[in-house]
Amino acid sequence: MQSKLEQLKSEVLLALKSIKNKANLEELENKILGRKNGELTNIMKGLKDLTDDERKIVGQLANEAKLEIEAVLQTKKIQLSQADWQTNLEKERLDITQPALPKIEYGHFHPNTIVQNDLENLFNSMGFMVLDGSEIESDYYNFTALNIPESHPARDMQDTFYVKNHEVDSETPWVMRTQTSAMQVRALQKYGAPIRAIVPGKCFRNEATDVRHEHTFYQLEGFVVGENITFAHLKGVLETVAKHLYGEDTKVKLRPKYYPFVEPGINGEVTCFLCKGNGCRVCKNTGWLEIFGAGMIHPNVLKQGNIDPSKYQGFAFGLGLTRLVMLKYGIEDIRHLESGDLKFLKQF
Ligand code: PHE
């Protein structure tokens, strides 16, 4: 009996070595001390069959063995829960020396886009559709169709970048469009009359760049063609735009100016929003700001758009969108706008 108890103890010690978790430990505990069929429990139950003297000795030994076994099991239990605790701790470990995650910065619109969106909304409210047009344009739509034939001096004022062997049509020269007016004839050919449209977008010119000149800038073209469209309508639209931009008291001044694709042509000025016409730095002491070119669409241009000039008339205007942006935000140097400089751009 004594040797049986010794064997049981060493069995337990051996089994404990390979135990990795609480479930296994419980299994072992049950095997030895389980009330129903535990090996030690059975030995204890067998005590009653022994003689009094034997029971005394064996009983004591069995009790000691039971205490020892319970103690090693308990120690193992503690070890296991400590290990658990450590793995949990490891999982929750927080590296307080890790640098903070960068703050998420939200993007925002470029100032050009802010002004463009504002004007698109205004023109939408007057029934104009918004057209895009391509930035690489054929020499025909950019110049010839607009009454600017090849030898015309007006081409000189809008020198641009020519694109050789353009895949769409390598026969005609292609240019980076110098003006959004290039969409006039395209739109007339596509949609016919009556039509009301604006074309905001990028234009390009071969400029010696300085604070007022940049190779890339934005314009916003507008045109209306229909029956009985007159110069008065043009003036009305321009005044609406001017008042929307600079307030109800803003006045519009129209002066004759030559553009080959309009007749008559005008240059439009509005009262300076800063000095209200008294003269200041922004308007160079004139009291006026020049912000658009405009006029009644030339019959030759209507013809290029397959429109009968004896039935339809129309007007066109070109707003210097980049100029409006510079005036709105007091930007002194046009080159900031295309520079991609974040220090500049983050201000808007
Ligand atoms: N396209 C002209 C320019 O770039 C402006 C303009 C547009 C003038 C429409 C008349 C009519 O200077």
Side-chain angles (χ1 to χ4, degrees):
M1 190 58 85
Q2 201 171 340
S3 66
K4 211 172 172 191
L5 282 170
E6 286 302 322
Q7 198 192 328
L8 199 60
K9 273 199 279 182
S10 50
E11 202 182 288
V12 171
L13 287 175
L14 191 72
L16 271 182
K17 279 190 189 153
S18 55
I19 278 175
K20 294 265 149 35
N21 57 43
K22 283 184 179 168
N24 291 348
L25 185 66
E26 264 172 39
E27 237 171 71
L28 179 67
E29 198 172 1
N30 209 28
K31 187 171 168 237
I32 311 294
L33 301 171
R35 269 206 234 151
K36 262 197 177 160
N37 235 345
E39 289 175 30
L40 188 60
T41 319
N42 287 345
I43 294 177
M44 303 288 246
K45 279 181 188 163
L47 288 178
K48 65 177 184 336
D49 303 327
L50 301 176
T51 62
D52 282 357
D53 286 349
E54 278 175 336
R55 192 186 311 128
K56 214 175 183 184
I57 300 167
V58 179
Q60 194 182 345
L61 287 174
N63 265 331
E64 278 169 16
K66 191 181 175 204
L67 287 176
E68 270 177 65
I69 290 174
E70 276 174 352
V72 288
L73 289 176
Q74 184 61 22
T75 312
K76 186 74 183 179
K77 205 179 265 178
I78 291 169
Q79 279 172 357
L80 283 178
S81 48
Q82 260 175 356
D84 272 3
W85 186 67
Q86 247 161 8
T87 37
N88 282 345
L89 249 188
E90 199 55 46
K91 270 191 227 149
E92 286 169 20
R93 187 190 206 95
L94 193 72
D95 180 1
I96 57 164
T97 64
Q98 186 183 332
L101 293 173
K103 255 203 283 167
I104 295 174
E105 277 190 60
Y106 293 96
H108 60 81
F109 287 126
H110 188 282
N112 283 343
T113 316
I114 298 171
V115 175
Q116 181 178 324
N117 285 350
D118 173 49
L119 287 172
E120 280 184 15
N121 285 340
L122 174 74
F123 281 105
N124 266 330
S125 75
M126 295 194 279
F128 284 71
M129 61 178 170
V130 180
L131 300 176
D132 243 349
S134 53
E135 290 166 8
I136 295 183
E137 185 53 280
S138 75
D139 174 280
Y140 167 75
Y141 285 110
N142 194 81
F143 295 122
T144 317
L146 292 174
N147 221 11
I148 316 174
E150 213 173 306
S151 55
H152 199 286
R155 286 197 176 207
D156 223 28
M157 286 152 47
Q158 297 193 6
D159 189 20
T160 182
F161 307 94
Y162 281 74
V163 181
K164 272 190 188 159
N165 305 326
H166 186 49
E167 58 192 22
V168 175
D169 174 1
S170 55
E171 294 302 305
T172 44
W174 287 76
V175 301
M176 305 286 278
R177 72 170 171 197
T178 62
Q179 48 185 348
T180 42
S181 303
M183 268 300 279
Q184 283 184 22
V185 171
R186 277 190 186 277
L188 292 176
Q189 287 176 350
K190 182 161 182 195
Y191 299 104
I195 185 173
R196 255 182 274 183
I198 56 163
V199 188
K202 258 184 196 170
C203 300
F204 310 86
R205 288 184 199 177
N206 178 14
E207 298 280 6
T209 56
D210 61 28
V211 288
R212 287 164 60 100
H213 298 91
E214 175 63 299
H215 50 68
T216 303
F217 57 96
Y218 285 72
Q219 288 189 338
L220 187 142
E221 189 83 5
F223 39 86
V224 173
V225 176
E227 285 177 77
N228 307 317
I229 296 291
T230 70
F231 200 90
H233 295 122
L234 167 60
K235 194 164 180 238
V237 169
L238 294 178
E239 274 178 0
T240 306
V241 175
K243 289 181 177 173
H244 170 79
L245 289 171
Y246 303 125
E248 276 302 308
D249 325 325
T250 312
K251 289 196 178 60
V252 173
K253 184 162 81 174
L254 305 177
R255 294 193 298 179
K257 180 163 180 187
Y258 173 72
Y259 295 100
F261 39 93
V262 285
E263 177 61 34
I266 51 157
N267 145 6
E269 291 171 311
V270 298
T271 29
C272 175
F273 61 88
L274 193 66
C275 62
K276 304 285 174 210
N278 296 324
C280 69
R281 189 180 50 88
V282 170
C283 59
K284 298 213 178 72
N285 283 319
T286 61
W288 297 94
L289 298 170
E290 185 185 334
I291 60 168
F292 43 69
M296 298 305 288
I297 300 178
H298 197 288
N300 288 351
V301 175
L302 292 175
K303 278 187 215 155
Q304 293 297 325
N306 305 323
I307 305 289
D308 178 1
S310 64
K311 189 165 174 221
Y312 293 104
Q313 308 79 45
F315 62 82
F317 56 89
L319 280 160
L321 198 64
T322 299
R323 180 144 165 76
L324 295 183
V325 173
M326 291 174 74
L327 288 170
K328 179 177 169 105
Y329 295 108
I331 298 166
E332 317 252 324
D333 189 334
I334 190 174
R335 291 169 294 190
H336 287 312
L337 289 163
E338 294 291 316
S339 69
D341 181 351
L342 288 179
K343 265 191 251 153
F344 167 76
L345 290 172
K346 280 185 175 169
Q347 298 175 62
F348 301 96

